[in-house]
Amino acid sequence: MDNQHRIIDGIKDFPKHVHIKSVTQGVVTGVAGWCFALLLYAYGNDCGWSRETVISWIFACWGLGCLNGLILSLKYKTPIPGAWSISGAAIAVSGVTAGLTLPQLCTGYLLSGIIVLLLGVSGVVSRVMKFIPMPIVMGMTAGCLFKFGTNIVQYLFNWSSDLSQATNVQMLLIGILAIAAWIVFTRLKIPAVPPVLAALVIVVVGVLACGLYDTSALAGLKWSGPRFVGYSFESFGKVIISITIPLTLLVIGAENTQAVGVLQGQGYEPPVKAMTVISGIGGMIASLFGGHNANIAGPMTAMTASPESGPKEDRYAAAVICMIFTSFVAIFASIVVPFLDTIPINLIYIIGGLSLIGVILSSLQSAFQAGRFQLSAVIAFIVALSQLSFLGIGSAFWALLIGVIIAVVVEPQDLKASRS
């Protein structure tokens, strides 16, 4: 540890940077983070995993992510909260669709963490990313996530198609009210009430009012931590191209890059190498317990690094508060998951879909607003959107491969410009 940046200094100076703005913004960002735990729960159900596996997944991703963010924020006195890749979780689901087991997925996560660590230590991150144009990566990302947006429409349609059943009427009404709450609070832009939180409150209240909950899910409720999953090196090549490559590109090229851009935009000098190294280490450790990665959180960085957190020198306190607050999702994952089990899963999916709309939008903007790689990005989007596997390999890899081929054949001028 160098003399300029020491965690102990960040801890000693922390109290004097704490004020109403940093506390409020830190807690609000943490609440928004809590809502994203719904996504891991929904993804775990998609994969058909047991409750214990989903608990371990949430514990690993949030626990290691928060620890990463806490270390970096205190060491560099810069708002650098940590979490996990939402798009990476979608890649995990595509791997399951392609027939990969959880231990095989964990092998892919481990290899991704090792690669990210090596790229961070070597300092060649920016050069590596030039080989896979970012619009193609973001097109793939949007495609992987898109179905969680369209699922909202599908569920509403299914419920409305048979209103003779009282349950369908209740679920439709709750779904519509949740969406309405999300729209209203998106319009109002009240910092203390994230739109997704408002929608979640409506769902919980609606479920309780209509008696749609299942308290049997809370039977035998007790605290439990992460469990060791282990690794499997069967179908090694398939694991690398379906999981390791896409996940590595997302961690390096999307998650961390977004956070770096946000920090630079606010006048900070982000420790890119340290952010990359710690993301690699976090990903390696998380893989032991079924976590797909633990990296720097782009959206949460944007929230804590904003002027709403107070003066520039105080904003790291907001990130620290956010990490402490959000870590409760990891610590009490064994309580969070059974609680979610009491709520009809399709209503959870609606909340998850609403929480992803901003990510889908930013992914599409990153894919198409630059004016380069337009055709290759849209092809990557379409291929990933198919959610189909070919030769046992998930759509995320094929989206990247085909997108790059299209770029080489049809858009060589964009490749040349991006590498100059």
Side-chain angles (χ1 to χ4, degrees):
M1 185 177 296
D2 56 66
N3 293 325
Q4 281 187 317
H5 302 292
R6 301 190 308 169
I7 294 176
I8 189 64
D9 291 334
I11 295 174
K12 288 179 178 178
D13 294 341
F14 174 73
K16 68 183 181 183
H17 295 291
V18 175
H19 47 71
I20 186 63
K21 282 193 172 183
S22 60
V23 171
T24 300
Q25 191 68 0
V27 171
V28 168
T29 305
V31 170
W34 276 26
C35 294
F36 284 117
L38 295 171
L39 294 175
L40 290 183
Y41 171 78
Y43 282 132
N45 275 273
D46 264 5
C47 294
W49 291 337
S50 67
R51 176 189 289 187
E52 291 73 19
T53 299
V54 176
I55 289 171
S56 188
W57 193 13
I58 294 175
F59 201 117
C61 289
W62 274 121
L64 270 299
C66 289
L67 182 60
N68 284 358
L70 199 60
I71 291 172
L72 289 175
S73 297
L74 289 171
K75 179 177 173 63
Y76 294 96
K77 294 185 182 179
T78 299
I80 314 176
W84 44 274
S85 171
I86 294 173
S87 306
I91 288 175
V93 176
S94 74
V96 172
T97 303
L100 295 177
T101 64
L102 181 57
Q104 287 174 312
L105 293 179
C106 289
T107 301
Y109 306 155
L110 173 66
L111 294 173
S112 176
I114 292 172
I115 293 172
V116 171
L117 173 61
L118 293 176
L119 290 174
V121 171
S122 64
V124 298
V125 174
S126 59
R127 281 178 282 172
V128 170
M129 288 313 301
K130 288 184 179 180
F131 288 98
I132 308 291
M134 193 47 52
I136 296 176
V137 175
M138 300 316 295
M140 177 272 290
T141 298
C144 285
L145 298 176
F146 211 74
K147 74 166 186 174
F148 292 93
T150 58
N151 278 350
I152 297 175
V153 180
Q154 184 65 55
Y155 296 141
L156 294 178
F157 175 80
N158 290 342
W159 292 327
S160 64
S161 63
D162 184 7
L163 295 179
S164 61
Q165 296 188 33
T167 301
N168 281 352
V169 175
Q170 293 170 332
M171 300 271 270
L172 179 62
L173 180 61
I174 294 172
I176 291 174
L177 289 176
I179 294 170
W182 180 84
I183 293 172
V184 168
F185 281 90
T186 298
R187 174 67 179 85
L188 294 176
K189 297 179 180 178
I190 301 175
V193 187
V196 175
L197 177 61
L200 177 60
V201 169
I202 292 296
V203 165
V204 172
V205 171
V207 166
L208 292 175
C210 296
L212 297 174
Y213 52 89
D214 178 14
T215 55
S216 65
L218 300 176
L221 190 65
K222 63 179 181 179
W223 184 91
S224 62
R227 67 184 187 91
F228 176 72
V229 174
Y231 303 109
S232 171
F233 293 90
E234 294 181 11
S235 304
F236 188 68
K238 178 179 173 181
V239 168
I240 290 176
I241 59 181
S242 292
I243 304 297
T244 301
I245 293 175
L247 184 58
T248 300
L249 291 172
L250 280 174
V251 171
I252 295 294
E255 308 296 345
N256 284 17
T257 299
Q258 181 183 2
V260 168
V262 166
L263 291 172
Q264 289 176 335
Q266 292 295 332
Y268 294 97
E269 295 183 10
V272 177
K273 183 175 181 178
M275 291 165 67
T276 307
V277 168
I278 203 168
S279 294
I281 295 172
M284 292 166 62
I285 299 175
S287 72
L288 291 167
F289 310 105
H292 61 286
N293 70 301
N295 54 257
I296 308 308
M300 295 169 81
T301 298
M303 294 178 71
T304 55
S306 68
E308 282 75 13
S309 296
K312 181 183 172 183
E313 63 275 10
D314 293 347
R315 295 175 195 172
Y316 89 92
V320 171
I321 292 169
C322 171
M323 292 294 90
I324 295 172
F325 191 73
T326 311
S327 68
F328 288 117
V329 172
I331 297 170
F332 297 106
S334 55
I335 308 298
V336 172
V337 171
F339 169 74
L340 295 176
D341 275 339
T342 66
I343 301 174
I345 186 62
N346 286 349
L347 288 174
I348 296 295
Y349 282 145
I350 282 185
I351 301 300
L354 291 173
S355 68
L356 283 175
I357 287 178
V359 181
I360 294 171
L361 176 60
S362 64
S363 297
L364 290 172
Q365 289 173 335
S366 298
F368 302 116
Q369 71 180 2
R372 292 179 179 172
F373 304 104
Q374 299 293 274
L375 183 60
S376 52
V378 77
I379 293 298
F381 169 74
I382 292 171
V383 173
L385 182 62
S386 72
Q387 298 289 305
L388 299 174
S389 60
F390 179 65
L391 299 177
I393 299 169
S395 61
F397 170 77
W398 294 115
L400 292 175
L401 177 62
I402 296 173
V404 170
I405 291 174
I406 294 296
V408 170
V409 175
V410 182
E411 301 169 319
Q413 70 284 356
D414 290 343
L415 280 173
K416 183 178 180 180
S418 68
R419 295 173 183 174
S420 60

